[in-house]
Amino acid sequence: MALKEFEFGFGQTTQKVMLPEEHISDVLEGNPTPACDVEEATLECMRHPIGSRPLQEIVRKGDKVCIVCADITRTWNHSDQFVIHIVNELNRAEIPDSDICILFAQGTHRAQTPEEDIRVVGKEVASRIKLYQHDCKNKDELVHVGDTKLGTPVWINKHAVDADKVIVVDGITTHLFAGYGGGRKLILPGVAGDESIQINHCNALGAEFGSGINPATRSTLLDRNPVSDDMQEASDMIKPCFLVHSIVNADGQICRMVGGDPYEAWLEGTKLVYRIQKVPMKQEADVGFACAGGYPKDVSLYQGSKCYDPADVAVKDGGIIIAIMEASDIQEPPAYLNSFQYETEADMERALRHHFTIPFFVAFNLFCMTHKYHIILVTRPENFEAIKKTNQTPVATVEEAWQLAQKILKDQGKDDYTITIMPHCASIVPFLADK
């Protein structure tokens, strides 16, 4: 039996495993896209934008500019490489540093440390520009700007509301229930109040109890997606003047920058992401190795959960998913792990409908999957007790996970099993080649 070595990102390190080559059905990676010159691409997208005048023509001397920037959980977007070019472009438009602030779009996430601020925007920007942490529960910093058609009260951080011009900064990739990240998400949930966030995200559930997750609110779906539409309506109330977003390739490098109209440029970016991440597979496999992609995508179980959705597409019902994430910050956010306290999916859905939160919903999605697949999670040993509560089986190495998977396959009487490898699972959109 010929064996082939595979290597997976695990935090800041990697793990390796030898797998039987004749059983490998697919190795799914994003379509090869070369890295770009980040400064050149950022300047190009600001000076020749999509659906907009150049940034220097939109802002004017005397404007107070708020850059709403994705937080530490999104550092895969490499914002530390391009925020400096946005600030310098504003300076060229006679907007001094003193008239610029950065508001981190933390949504329901915790505040960042000063070290994390630097990792998000870079050392020079952090030393030059006023930085604000968004706290969705601090009502003193929230302003009610209206209600959406779906009835979401839109409470937004005052720094964004009070600014003359708002620029939204992030990267674009697929999103579990909003279709794609970035764009309107920088406003809701990014700098919105807790009530606004929870009510908006309730649309990710079906209309009636027992219907589970709303099928219109899934990865890559934007048409008639009520979560996304509601977010866009909230963002339109703030009227961001410009967007600058990165797109990363399968190697985690910036390969494109899009800039311009906050909706049109973002939408064009989602189409680019789809072309890069859409990958054909021969068949649904018996075993799927689903790696979050290493740090920062696997910094927590919550963030790493983005790798389960592609695995759900690539693996047969009743199959084995080997998820790989270090989860060094396993308790972040506490509400996520605390959601795994129910015996049945019905009990969990009932509780979720009574009090919807984003971490609770993401936990519900995973809990449903653990009843559909055997899920083995490769993570730190100190995480084991917490992971057991999620209905997953924790192990310390990919090799251990493979040994356990082989035992399950043997118990199932499967000798002709198939394996699909997804080294950067959060960055692909698998689909059956014959469909």
Side-chain angles (χ1 to χ4, degrees), residues 43-63:
L43 292 175
E44 174 67 18
C45 82
M46 292 187 294
R47 295 173 182 179
H48 299 93
I50 297 167
S52 167
R53 290 176 293 144
L55 179 59
Q56 285 195 47
E57 295 179 14
I58 290 175
V59 296
R60 59 185 180 183
K61 186 176 182 179
D63 279 343

Side-chain angles (χ1 to χ4, degrees), residues 145-211:
V145 296
D147 297 332
T148 68
K149 295 173 185 175
L150 291 178
T152 302
V154 182
W155 291 83
I156 302 297
N157 189 291
K158 66 181 182 182
H159 295 294
V161 175
D162 294 343
D164 297 306
K165 301 287 170 56
V166 173
I167 300 170
V168 287
V169 174
D170 194 1
I172 304 175
T173 192
T174 56
H175 187 274
L176 177 61
F177 55 87
Y180 289 89
R184 69 278 186 255
K185 282 187 86 267
L186 273 293
I187 303 300
L188 174 61
V191 293
D194 186 61
E195 179 187 14
S196 305
I197 296 169
Q198 309 313 334
I199 292 176
N200 164 264
H201 285 29
C202 274
N203 294 298
L205 289 173
E208 300 176 355
F209 173 72
S211 58

Side-chain angles (χ1 to χ4, degrees), residues 107-108 134-140 142 192-194 198:
T108 59
H134 172 64
D135 181 353
C136 69
K137 295 186 178 180
N138 185 351
K139 295 183 178 180
D140 291 339
L142 299 172
D194 186 61
Q198 309 313 334

Side-chain angles (χ1 to χ4, degrees), residues 61-119:
K61 186 176 182 179
D63 279 343
K64 304 296 183 182
V65 178
C66 177
I67 299 174
V68 176
C69 184
D71 73 349
I72 188 67
T73 65
R74 304 293 191 269
T75 51
W76 55 264
N77 65 23
H78 302 297
S79 54
D80 62 318
Q81 295 181 27
F82 61 85
V83 173
I84 181 62
H85 304 308
I86 301 171
V87 170
N88 289 343
E89 190 77 349
L90 291 171
N91 291 164
R92 295 183 191 103
E94 298 187 87
I95 308 294
D97 287 355
S98 58
D99 284 345
I100 304 169
C101 74
I102 290 175
L103 174 62
F104 293 112
Q106 277 134 334
T108 59
H109 303 160
R110 62 169 173 79
Q112 294 170 178
T113 65
E115 292 76 20
E116 288 173 330
D117 290 344
I118 291 172
R119 278 165 46 202

